[in-house]
Amino acid sequence: MLKLKKVDAKMNLKQLAGIEAAKFVKDGMIVGLGTGSTAYYMVEEIGRRMREEGLRITGVTTSNATKEQAEKLGIPLKSIDEVPVVDLTIDGADEISADFQGIKGGGAALLFEKIVATYSKETIWIVDSSKLVDKLGKFPLPVEVIPYGSQQLLHIFEEKGFQPVLRTDENGEVLTTDGGHYIIDLHLEVIEQPESLATYLDELVGVVEHGLFLNMVSKVVVGSEKGVEILDAIRRK
Ligand code: 5RP
């Protein structure tokens, strides 16, 4: 199903998607709060609704950055270990294929994002239309690894022709995730078989998690020049 709403000229496309998705949040929900520049707008909108409309929710954050933002907005928070289940998670994505599989982790929060999404009844992704692709893989696939043995994994990925790059931060230092791990980005160009690649990565010792989010999303809210589209994905989990 596809619904279209008009673009407000003053809003950017990420903001449009973030604000629209926040409408799915209902009073009393436990809400997974994603990470990134699109999720930022969704969290701000939830904060606004709490202030102006009296919405009450409990947030479960997916990164230290989102936790900081949510705390500033006065959103009550619990950790994923303190809730029975998350009602709804809203998060960004780096690429979404035509069959609603995703790559996430551009913002280095993929591990906590995947944990929160896994224990959520429903997950919505919010993106601008540039993130919609036919097949995954143009966006480098992030793989979160334990620092100990990470050079071995880099060699293995090199030999496989995955063009691995150890992610660094803005100072050129090796980036450390909120979970204390490294990220290796795989430059694959196209992923023909996401399921088998996911299984391969899942089985490698030292890999903590990877950015293939398969069969996890139920709706995608897309901000495009034409307006906001809400795409219903087939949930196959
Ligand atoms: C962080 C993520 C983000 O959701 C993803 O990178 C999209 O970010 P943005 O909304 O800034 O484009 O997976 O780990």
Side-chain angles (χ1 to χ4, degrees):
M1 191 177 48
L2 185 145
K3 289 182 211 158
L4 212 61
K5 293 196 180 174
K6 274 175 71 187
V7 182
D8 179 331
K10 280 182 255 158
M11 282 190 204
N12 71 48
L13 303 181
K14 291 182 176 193
Q15 188 176 14
L16 209 61
I19 289 175
E20 187 67 25
K23 293 180 184 159
F24 288 97
V25 175
K26 306 287 176 236
D27 208 42
M29 274 185 166
I30 297 172
V31 183
L33 303 172
T35 296
S37 56
T38 318
Y40 171 86
Y41 291 114
M42 173 273 298
V43 175
E44 288 294 307
E45 176 64 5
I46 289 176
R48 188 202 63 75
R49 287 190 56 198
M50 291 177 74
R51 276 191 318 276
E52 294 177 14
E53 299 171 12
L55 175 76
R56 289 160 306 140
I57 66 138
T58 301
V60 175
T61 56
T62 54
S63 64
N64 292 341
T66 302
K67 185 165 184 274
E68 215 172 282
Q69 183 192 3
E71 280 171 350
K72 277 191 195 143
L73 292 165
I75 301 176
L77 299 177
K78 285 194 173 169
S79 90
I80 190 67
D81 293 309
E82 294 170 323
V83 298
V85 69
V86 175
D87 293 303
L88 170 65
T89 288
I90 306 176
D91 202 351
D94 296 301
E95 262 187 0
I96 304 173
S97 63
D99 57 353
F100 296 105
Q101 310 294 27
I103 288 182
K104 285 182 50 54
L110 66 117
L111 176 60
F112 294 176
E113 290 173 335
K114 198 179 268 190
I115 291 172
V116 173
T118 298
Y119 300 111
S120 296
K121 289 187 208 161
E122 186 180 3
T123 294
I124 295 176
W125 285 339
I126 47 178
V127 292
D128 65 67
S129 51
S130 70
K131 308 283 185 76
L132 301 181
V133 297
D134 185 24
K135 289 180 182 178
L136 299 177
K138 258 272 181 284
F139 191 91
L141 176 67
V143 181
E144 186 155 347
V145 304
I146 301 276
Y148 187 84
S150 54
Q151 286 302 319
Q152 299 296 338
L153 286 169
L154 277 163
H155 290 147
I156 289 173
F157 292 145
E158 197 72 62
E159 276 172 16
K160 294 279 270 181
F162 288 172
Q163 303 191 66
V165 176
L166 188 61
R167 199 182 292 185
T168 51
D169 62 20
E170 57 281 1
N171 303 316
E173 307 289 335
V174 178
L175 181 141
T176 305
T177 66
D178 288 349
H181 308 125
Y182 292 168
I183 289 189
I184 298 174
D185 290 304
L186 305 181
H187 294 252
L188 301 167
E189 291 304 324
V190 66
I191 301 173
E192 295 290 355
Q193 292 176 316
E195 306 266 0
S196 54
L197 179 60
T199 304
Y200 167 74
L201 294 170
D202 284 336
E203 288 173 355
L204 278 180
V205 175
V207 168
V208 182
E209 199 41 84
H210 54 78
L212 283 168
F213 281 53
L214 307 181
N215 309 321
M216 290 192 124
V217 74
S218 58
K219 276 188 187 62
V220 180
V221 179
V222 187
S224 77
E225 297 298 341
K226 290 180 291 172
V228 192
E229 293 172 310
I230 300 171
L231 310 176
D232 277 330
I234 305 154
R235 194 179 166 102
R236 279 165 284 173
K237 198 156 75 169

